[in-house]
Amino acid sequence: MSRPPSFVPPVGVRAYRLTTARGEFAVLDAAPGARKETRGTVLLLPGFTGSKEDFIALHGPLAEAGYRTVAVDGRGQYETPGPRDDEAPYAQGELAQDVLAQATAVGTRVHLVGHSLGGLIARAAVLRDATPFASLTLMSSGPAQISVSQQQRVKLLRDALAVMSMADVWDAIQAMESPEETDTGEPGHDGTGELDAGLDAGLDDRADLRRRWLATSPAQLIATGRQLCTEPDRVAELAAVPLAMHVVSGVRDDTWPVPLLDDMAARLKAHRTVVRDAEHSPNTDQPLATARALAAFWDQT
């Protein structure tokens, strides 16, 4: 469950619109200090209902390790505009083309990181053209469709968005939360996976969460939600790509069970990291440990 600690960029993190051949994308960009050698550049793709802020706690430690980090709102996510009633621009192939354009615009080969839905999109981009990438990290992102329980949650959301406004859906989700869910701030405590990634009550600032939710395109949520529920297993295709790969997860995951991620890593012959005391979003549950694992992998590639 993604819980950004803040929506305010820390010192040293620039917020701007990255101009690409496929339009502009809102990004948060952090570079190592002037006295640090830049060891590489990282492109970070958020998950379903998420945004670039989901990686906000990684910028500092990764800059300290020598890596420039560019976290991006995909088409229709938060501060990157997209059609609100047309699903066609959110087909996986279109989103993969966006990632290739983002990598080109950054201006160097990038270490690509995709969290959850972002991992499926990252995989599609690599399968289309791996040349812009120095490595691929799949973070809490599995081999095929999400678990049955999460498919049911996504279907509920898609059905609601078909007949309700984003504001009404937000209000309905808030009304459904139990007092225990409202009070807890523990990572992944209610086990709702990434469906509620942007809606968790553990954050103090509900206004920012609501603003992100309302800015996200409902067509994007409907289209990508369908992808999460129908994604085929493409691990064999990905394993044939000559690229260094890394599979990262927490110790528990309701969206893709951890044993499934273990098996995927073995099939990919990928480096494997399980982050202690983290669940579906190691990037927000345990950002320092996650950053260390990411940097250690890149240092070896």
Side-chain angles (χ1 to χ4, degrees):
M1 179 180 296
S2 296
R3 299 180 177 186
S6 174
F7 279 76
V8 178
V11 174
V13 178
R14 293 191 302 132
Y16 66 95
R17 295 193 175 277
L18 178 70
T19 301
T20 80
R22 289 177 63 84
E24 293 186 340
F25 296 85
V27 301
L28 295 177
D29 186 334
R35 297 183 180 181
K36 282 276 184 183
E37 176 189 1
T38 300
R39 299 177 63 87
T41 298
V42 184
L43 186 64
L44 299 148
L45 311 181
F48 187 62
T49 76
S51 67
K52 59 192 180 301
E53 285 73 18
D54 293 343
F55 302 106
I56 208 163
L58 296 183
H59 293 292
L62 288 178
E64 185 64 25
Y67 290 93
R68 176 190 174 196
T69 47
V70 183
V72 59
D73 284 338
R75 183 184 302 273
Q77 284 183 320
Y78 190 30
E79 293 182 323
T80 296
R84 298 185 72 82
D85 56 2
D86 180 4
E87 296 180 36
Y90 306 113
Q92 190 180 81
E94 294 295 320
L95 298 178
Q97 291 277 42
D98 288 347
V99 173
L100 293 169
Q102 293 156 11
T104 298
V106 167
T108 185
R109 290 181 76 215
V110 300
H111 297 287
L112 183 60
V113 178
H115 173 240
S116 201
L117 169 71
L120 299 183
I121 296 168
R123 178 172 74 177
V126 167
L127 290 174
R128 187 172 291 260
D129 182 5
T131 56
F133 306 114
S135 72
L136 171 65
T137 296
L138 302 174
M139 184 183 295
S140 303
S141 185
Q145 73 274 11
I146 57 178
S147 66
V148 172
S149 63
Q150 291 302 309
Q151 288 183 46
Q152 292 168 346
R153 291 181 179 275
V154 170
K155 184 180 185 302
L156 285 173
L157 176 61
R158 288 171 50 210
D159 289 347
L161 290 172
V163 296
M164 299 167 65
S165 69
M166 289 290 284
D168 287 342
V169 172
W170 170 269
D171 291 341
I173 291 171
Q174 304 311 299
M176 290 170 59
E177 289 180 343
S178 68
E180 290 79 9
E181 287 171 336
T182 301
D183 292 340
T184 183
E186 297 177 14
H189 181 77
D190 63 4
T192 51
E194 77 177 323
L195 172 57
D196 294 331
L199 311 177
D200 183 70
L203 286 175
D204 293 332
D205 196 346
R206 281 176 175 264
D208 281 333
L209 292 174
R210 184 176 187 275
R211 179 163 50 86
R212 174 170 73 174
W213 173 259
L214 294 179
T216 299
S217 161
Q220 189 266 359
L221 292 173
I222 292 170
T224 57
R226 183 180 298 108
Q227 293 168 30
L228 286 168
C229 295
T230 60
E231 180 75 5
D233 188 323
R234 305 186 70 186
V235 175
E237 292 177 69
L238 187 61
V241 177
L243 191 66
M245 298 182 198
H246 189 189
V247 174
V248 178
S249 75
V251 295
R252 189 173 75 87
D253 196 313
D254 293 328
T255 306
W256 284 280
V258 170
L260 198 64
L261 299 175
D262 292 339
D263 178 70
M264 181 181 72
R267 293 168 64 194
L268 290 172
K269 295 182 172 57
H271 186 67
R272 178 75 171 106
T273 296
V274 178
V275 180
R276 293 180 59 185
D277 299 320
E279 297 192 13
H280 185 62
S281 297
N283 44 310
T284 55
D285 291 347
Q286 296 293 334
L288 184 56
T290 301
R292 287 172 176 163
L294 291 171
F297 168 67
W298 297 326
D299 287 347
Q300 297 172 7
T301 60

